[in-house]
Amino acid sequence: MSENASNCIIELKDVVKSFDDTLVIDHVSLSVRKGEFVTLLGPSGCGKTTTLRMIAGFDLPTSGQILLNGKDISLLPPNKRPVNTVFQRYALFPHLNVFDNIAFGLRMKRVVNTYRNPKGEEYTRTEKLTKAEIAAKVKKALEMVDLEGFEKREISTLSGGQQQRVAIARAIVNEPEILLLDEPLGALDLKMRKEMQIELKAMHRRLGITFIYVTHDQEEALTMSDTVVVMADGVVQQIGTPTDVYNEPANTFVADFIGESNIFSGTVTGKRKVRFCGKTFDCVDDFEKNEMVDVVVRPEDIVMCEPELGMLKGKVISVVFKGIHYEITVQVGRYEVVIQSTERREVGETIGMNIPAQEIHIMKRKYTSNIYDGVITKRNTVEFADGEFECDVTQLYPGSHLDEEEYLVTAQGEKIDLTGTEVTVEVGLEDISISDDAEAGGAQGHIISIIYKGDHYRVIVRTDESEEDFVFATDDLWNENDYVSVIIPKDKIKLTLKHTEEKAA
Amino acid sequence: MIKKCLKAFYIGLILLLLYAPILLLAVYSFNSVNTIGTWGSFSFTHYIKLFTDEAILEMIGNTVVLAVSAAILSTILGTAGAMGIYYSRKKAKTLMNGANQIPIINAEIVTALALAITFVAVGLEKSFFTLLMGHMVICTPFVVLSVMPKLKQMDNSLYEAALDLGASPAKALFKVVLPQIVPGIVSGFMLAITLSLDDYIITSYTKPSTFNTISTYVYNATTKGNAHTAVTLSSFWALTTIIFVIILAVVLFANITGLKNKKKEAHE
C-alpha cells in the first residue's frame, strides 16, 4: 500500500457522479502515476470532462473518493488543490493583460518564510510573493511558451494560438503537481494543433509533472499519451498504453472508436481457432470452444494476394485514395472487408486476402441477448424498458391456456390472474427491429451506438426515461440520435417467472 | 431635392416638438418678469433667487441625497440579486426573473399604495427611511435587468479559472467576476439615479409630510394656491434650465468618449 501510495499521485476510487438523477459517471476507478501523461478519451458526453472537473474540484463526486498522494481530497474546494487547469476556451481574464493574467495565481499564493530575529531565534511568517519574485516567475513562464515580451499585451489582441500559450503559462507558473487540460487544442486549426501537440509533449518532459489531458481526438490521444483511458457512457472501457488500446481493444466500442477496424461476429471452433466471414482462421487468443465472440481486424493488417492463394476471396467494390494509402473495400460473400494498403487495386478486380494469426484480435461478446425486468399487465401484455409489448403469457406455465375471459388456466385447471406478476424478459439480438414511426413499436428511444460488423450493423437503442438498452442486429443503416420505436414480435419475447417461490413464502 | 427638403423638414419638426417647450422655459428663465408671455428684460433674477431661497436649496439637497443613496443601495442589492438569479437552478431562475419583472410592469400607483399600506400595517411611520425603501423598490429591478446581460455574456469558466488559480470564492468574485459586469453595474446605477430623481408617485406616498423633493415641491407649488407661487415657480424655470444643461453635457460627454473608445479599439 505504501509503495502504491508513493508511486501514485491521483486515484479515483469507485467515483459516481449524477446530475439531477442523470448518471454521468458510473463507478469509475482510475489511478495515475506521478509524472505520467494520461489522456481521457471518448466521444462527447462520455463523462471525460466531468471526471476532469472532479479532479479539479469544480464538481464534487456523488459517491466515491478522489485521493491525491493518498489523501482524500474529494470535498476540497478547487482553490485548495495543488492542481491547475487549462480550459477549453482558455478562460483568460479579459480585463487583465498577459502579465496580470499569468501573475494572478502567484498573487493569490502565500508562502511561509523563515526569518531569524536579532537574538538568533527563528520565526516564520506567511507572506505574499514579492513583486520581483512574481515578475521573475512570469518571465520564466512566458519563455516556456515562447511569448517573451508579450507582458503588456491585452488578451483581446492575441491570436487563438497565443491565447492558448498564455493559458498554459498561467497554469504552469503556479508549479502545480498536476496539470489538467480540457480539450485545449480544440479551437485551433489542424496545423497549429499538430505543432502544439509536440510542444505540449516536450513541455511535459521538461516540467516532469503529471498531465491529465481530455480529448475526443483519438489520434491526439495516441500521439501524446503514456496511458489512454477510453471512456464511453460514464464508464471506463479500457485503460492502457496507446499501443495496447490500438492493438488489443477491450471491446467493440474501443475497436470502433480508436482507428479504423473491421469488426465481425465470430465463433470459437477449437484451440486457437476462430470462424468468421465463413472461414476458420488461426488466432493467438484462447477462448472456450463454441463461445460467440467479436473479432477485430485492423484494415492495414490484411494482406492482399492472388485470388487462389488467399483464405478469403472477394471482389473490390471501392477504392479511395487517402494520401499515404488506398482504402479498398472488398465484398467477400455477404461481408464487407476494408483494407488499407499502399498497393492499388482496381474496382471489379477479384483478389485474395490473408490475415496473419497475431493480427486477429478476439474479444468476449458484451451483448449476447437483451434481458429486462418486466411486469405482466391486466391485458396480458408485458411492460418493460419504458414500453409495453404483446407477449404469450402461457409460456410461464407449461401446458396452460387462456380462457375466453383472458384468464390463464394452468395444466392443472387452476385459474390465475397474472396482473402484476414480475417476470424476466429475454429477447434475442436478432429478434428486434426498429421503425421511425414512434407508434409502431412497444417502446421508444434514441439510437446511441451503431457499429458495422462486416455484413450487418449492431445498433443500441436507449429509452429516455429509465435508460434501458435494446441491442440488436440490423441490415439497415440508421443514424445516431435517431428517435425510433422498438418492435418485437410476440413470439420472440421469452418470459420466465421471477422468484415465485420466494414470493409465495 | 424635394425629398431632401422634406426629410430635413420632418426631422426639424420632430426636434421642435421635442425641445421647443424646454427652450421656451430656458428663454423665459432669463426674463426679469414672473409671467410667461411678457418679456421684461434680460436678467439673472430667477437664478439669484434659486440659489438664495433656503427652502428651494434644501429641497434640491433632499432630492440629490435621496437619489444618490437610493441608487447606491439598489445597485448593491440589484447586482447581488442578479448574480444570485444567474447562478440559481433553472426553476428558481425563471421564478425570480418573473418576480423581478412585476415591479417594472406594475402601475407605479399600485406599488405606491401597496407600500404606503404596508408601512402603516407594520407600524412604520413615514420617514426618510420609508421614502428610501420606496425608491429602492422601483430602482432595484432595473439594476438587476441591466446587470443580467453582462453576466450572460461572461464566459462561465472565468470564475472557475480564478478558483483554480487559488482565489477564494470572494476574491474570485471581486477580482474576476465584478470587473466583467462593471458596465452593467454603472448603467444600472445611472438608471437608478434618473428613476429616483424624477419620481413623484412613490415619493408622495412614502415621504414624511415635511420632506420635499423637486417633483413633490413643484407639484405642490403648481396645484395649491400658494402665496408665493408665482415667484417660486419662476425660479423653477431657472432650475429646469440648469438640469437640462447638465444632462445635455453628460450625454454629449458620454457619446464623445464612447466614440473615442471605439476609434481607439479600431486602431488596435
Side-chain angles (χ1 to χ4, degrees):
Chain A
M1 181 66 212
S2 62
E3 183 201 40
N4 192 11
S6 65
N7 205 350
C8 172
I9 187 157
I10 198 144
E11 199 175 355
L12 272 65
K13 275 189 173 169
D14 207 23
V15 169
V16 175
K17 174 74 189 173
S18 47
F19 293 109
D20 300 332
D21 299 339
T22 319
L23 196 61
V24 188
I25 300 291
D26 190 0
H27 298 279
V28 164
S29 293
L30 175 70
S31 64
V32 177
R33 277 175 291 124
K34 216 169 236 163
E36 208 176 0
F37 194 125
V38 177
T39 301
L40 305 179
L41 173 68
S44 54
C46 73
K48 55 189 193 298
T49 297
T50 309
T51 308
L52 195 81
R53 290 174 58 82
M54 285 194 289
I55 297 172
F58 304 134
D59 287 327
L60 300 179
T62 310
S63 72
Q65 275 187 320
I66 299 172
L67 305 179
L68 179 87
N69 292 323
K71 260 184 269 155
D72 188 357
I73 56 156
S74 310
L75 301 175
L76 209 62
N79 50 326
K80 300 263 158 67
R81 300 189 185 197
V83 165
N84 285 113
T85 310
V86 177
F87 289 83
Q88 197 164 4
R89 277 173 294 123
Y90 320 139
L92 297 173
F93 306 131
H95 61 295
L96 301 176
N97 64 19
V98 170
F99 181 92
D100 291 331
N101 259 283
I102 299 175
F104 191 92
L106 297 173
R107 289 186 177 135
M108 294 296 148
K109 210 171 198 164
R110 299 291 177 271
V111 284
V112 180
N113 290 327
T114 311
Y115 294 96
R116 205 174 276 275
N117 64 12
K119 284 183 213 154
E121 293 159 332
E122 278 189 2
Y123 63 102
T124 58
R125 231 190 241 168
T126 309
E127 288 175 324
K128 292 182 176 183
L129 292 171
T130 63
K131 277 205 168 125
E133 279 172 312
I134 290 176
K137 280 179 191 257
V138 171
K139 191 161 177 278
K140 221 177 115 202
L142 278 172
E143 276 166 21
M144 194 80 151
V145 296
D146 284 331
L147 285 179
E148 294 97 335
F150 275 67
E151 283 89 343
K152 293 277 171 290
R153 291 280 290 272
E154 291 300 318
I155 296 302
S156 57
T157 66
L158 300 180
S159 73
Q162 289 167 337
Q163 290 192 18
Q164 170 70 73
R165 286 159 194 270
V166 176
I168 294 170
R170 186 179 69 172
I172 60 175
V173 77
N174 303 297
E175 294 155 19
E177 288 185 48
I178 306 174
L179 184 66
L180 306 176
L181 302 111
D182 184 7
E183 307 215 15
L185 310 182
L188 302 178
D189 61 55
L190 186 68
K191 202 152 175 282
M192 193 74 198
R193 198 152 69 215
K194 298 261 181 210
E195 280 172 31
M196 282 305 290
Q197 283 176 11
I198 296 165
E199 276 188 48
L200 273 175
K201 189 71 199 162
M203 211 177 282
H204 173 245
R205 240 174 273 128
R206 248 181 302 160
L207 291 169
I209 58 173
T210 312
F211 276 40
I212 302 180
Y213 192 96
V214 160
T215 184
H216 62 265
D217 183 338
Q218 42 114 351
E219 200 195 314
E220 202 166 283
L222 296 181
T223 328
M224 302 173 75
S225 335
D226 299 323
T227 304
V228 179
V229 179
V230 187
M231 292 184 74
D233 244 5
V235 179
V236 172
Q237 305 288 333
Q238 187 170 9
I239 302 176
T241 64
T243 334
D244 279 350
V245 292
Y246 187 81
N247 289 340
E248 305 282 330
N251 55 41
T252 47
F253 172 80
V254 179
D256 187 60
F257 190 74
I258 297 178
E260 306 271 324
S261 46
N262 292 290
I263 305 173
F264 305 105
S265 299
T267 321
V268 178
T269 54
K271 197 166 167 57
R272 295 186 186 164
K273 298 257 182 229
V274 63
R275 188 174 175 81
F276 61 92
C277 285
K279 287 276 175 353
T280 305
F281 292 83
D282 287 327
C283 62
V284 290
D285 301 297
D286 250 336
F287 276 83
E288 287 281 311
K289 196 178 169 183
N290 292 330
E291 186 164 345
M292 304 284 281
V293 289
D294 283 320
V295 180
V296 171
V297 182
R298 296 290 181 187
E300 68 272 20
D301 294 335
I302 299 177
V303 186
M304 296 188 289
C305 58
E306 293 303 314
E308 47 292 338
L309 297 176
M311 277 288 280
L312 297 170
K313 198 168 88 174
K315 212 163 125 190
V316 176
I317 52 173
S318 97
V319 178
V320 181
F321 181 56
K322 292 266 183 175
I324 333 169
H325 60 259
Y326 293 96
E327 192 173 283
I328 302 163
T329 312
V330 186
Q331 187 80 45
V332 180
R334 55 194 182 92
Y335 299 96
E336 267 175 32
V337 178
V338 179
I339 304 168
Q340 284 173 1
S341 170
T342 48
E343 290 169 47
R344 187 184 163 86
R345 289 291 184 274
E346 295 304 324
V347 174
E349 200 178 331
T350 302
I351 59 166
M353 288 151 278
N354 279 316
I355 310 169
Q358 68 272 15
E359 306 298 359
I360 296 175
H361 180 63
I362 299 177
M363 299 167 305
K364 221 178 165 60
R365 243 199 234 183
K366 201 171 166 194
Y367 305 102
T368 47
S369 75
N370 297 285
I371 294 174
Y372 310 94
D373 295 328
V375 178
I376 305 289
T377 69
K378 58 177 180 237
R379 291 178 296 279
N380 282 335
T381 57
V382 59
E383 270 181 4
F384 64 90
D386 299 334
E388 184 181 345
F389 293 87
E390 284 193 28
C391 63
D392 177 18
V393 290
T394 58
Q395 60 179 300
L396 290 170
Y397 294 90
S400 62
H401 66 276
L402 290 173
D403 66 7
E404 57 278 11
E405 285 170 313
E406 299 279 302
Y407 281 107
L408 186 93
V409 181
T410 64
Q412 290 80 38
E414 198 186 343
K415 216 171 172 179
I416 303 176
D417 181 6
L418 286 171
T419 310
T421 308
E422 289 185 16
V423 290
T424 302
V425 183
E426 194 179 340
V427 187
L429 297 183
E430 312 294 326
D431 301 331
I432 298 177
S433 58
I434 51 176
S435 160
D436 44 19
D437 175 9
E439 300 301 312
Q444 288 79 32
H446 287 93
I447 295 180
I448 59 156
S449 148
I450 300 174
I451 287 178
Y452 187 54
K453 294 182 102 180
D455 66 332
H456 67 268
Y457 295 94
R458 194 206 66 203
V459 178
I460 304 178
V461 172
R462 177 166 294 176
T463 64
D464 294 338
E465 200 177 308
S466 56
E467 302 206 334
E468 293 271 13
D469 290 348
F470 290 96
V471 184
F472 57 92
T474 174
D475 291 339
D476 305 323
L477 175 56
W478 293 80
N479 290 318
E480 252 174 64
N481 279 327
D482 277 355
Y483 186 69
V484 295
S485 69
V486 176
I487 304 166
I488 309 171
K490 191 174 170 180
D491 56 318
K492 299 293 188 196
I493 294 182
K494 209 175 136 214
L495 303 173
T496 40
L497 285 174
K498 230 170 149 184
H499 342 281
T500 29
E501 291 82 13
E502 286 166 43
K503 234 176 131 186
Chain B
M1 186 62 204
I2 294 174
K3 207 174 159 195
K4 243 187 183 172
C5 280
L6 275 176
K7 263 186 188 168
F9 174 73
Y10 180 71
I11 289 282
L13 187 70
I14 298 276
L15 286 177
L16 188 73
L17 282 175
L18 281 176
Y19 290 106
I22 298 171
L23 280 177
L24 192 73
L25 217 58
V27 169
Y28 276 95
S29 69
F30 295 103
N31 194 357
S32 59
V33 191
N34 279 344
T35 40
I36 289 197
T38 46
W39 182 262
S41 61
F42 182 87
S43 87
F44 286 106
T45 339
H46 302 318
Y47 287 87
I48 293 162
K49 234 185 118 5
L50 176 67
F51 287 107
T52 47
D53 188 325
E54 269 185 28
I56 294 178
L57 282 179
E58 191 198 324
M59 166 271 293
I60 294 173
N62 284 345
T63 313
V64 172
V65 167
L66 176 66
V68 170
S69 39
I72 291 175
L73 290 174
S74 347
T75 304
I76 296 171
L77 199 65
T79 307
M83 281 196 232
I85 294 173
Y86 180 70
Y87 286 111
S88 299
R89 279 165 171 263
K90 211 179 164 196
K91 250 191 192 161
K93 205 179 201 168
T94 354
L95 205 75
M96 284 192 283
N97 260 328
N100 186 56
Q101 308 270 356
I102 292 173
I104 295 173
I105 303 166
N106 203 357
E108 216 181 321
I109 183 76
V110 177
T111 312
L113 253 173
L115 276 171
I117 291 169
T118 311
F119 291 145
V120 171
V122 297
L124 261 181
E125 230 167 89
K126 284 181 184 172
S127 61
F128 183 75
F129 175 69
T130 57
L131 181 58
L132 188 62
M133 287 238 289
H135 276 229
M136 282 171 67
V137 166
I138 47 164
C139 293
T140 311
F142 285 94
V143 178
V144 172
L145 274 192
S146 63
V147 172
M148 206 56 138
K150 287 286 155 206
L151 279 169
K152 283 185 184 155
Q153 276 168 25
M154 186 183 69
D155 180 356
N156 237 336
S157 41
L158 288 183
Y159 173 71
E160 285 180 349
L163 292 185
D164 190 70
L165 293 168
S168 61
K171 274 225 167 98
L173 179 69
F174 284 107
K175 295 215 166 218
V176 173
V177 178
L178 271 183
Q180 312 307 318
I181 59 172
V182 157
I185 297 175
V186 170
S187 67
F189 179 79
M190 297 307 285
L191 212 60
I193 288 228
T194 342
L195 279 171
S196 168
L197 273 182
D198 69 10
D199 179 77
Y200 170 75
I201 301 177
I202 299 269
T203 315
S204 64
Y205 274 80
T206 52
K207 74 176 183 68
S209 55
T210 51
F211 189 94
N212 264 320
T213 66
I214 298 175
S215 55
T216 56
Y217 195 90
V218 172
Y219 185 79
N220 288 342
T222 46
T223 46
K224 286 168 201 156
N226 237 311
H228 61 289
T229 299
V231 189
T232 322
L233 256 185
S234 55
S235 53
F236 275 115
W237 304 343
L239 182 60
T240 319
T241 311
I242 292 173
I243 292 175
F244 180 69
V245 169
I246 291 172
I247 287 174
L248 195 70
V250 168
V251 169
L252 278 177
F253 176 77
N255 281 346
I256 289 168
T257 49
L259 269 180
K260 268 190 187 159
N261 280 344
K262 257 188 198 161
K263 267 190 190 160
K264 212 172 133 195
E265 263 170 41
H267 272 295
E268 278 172 354

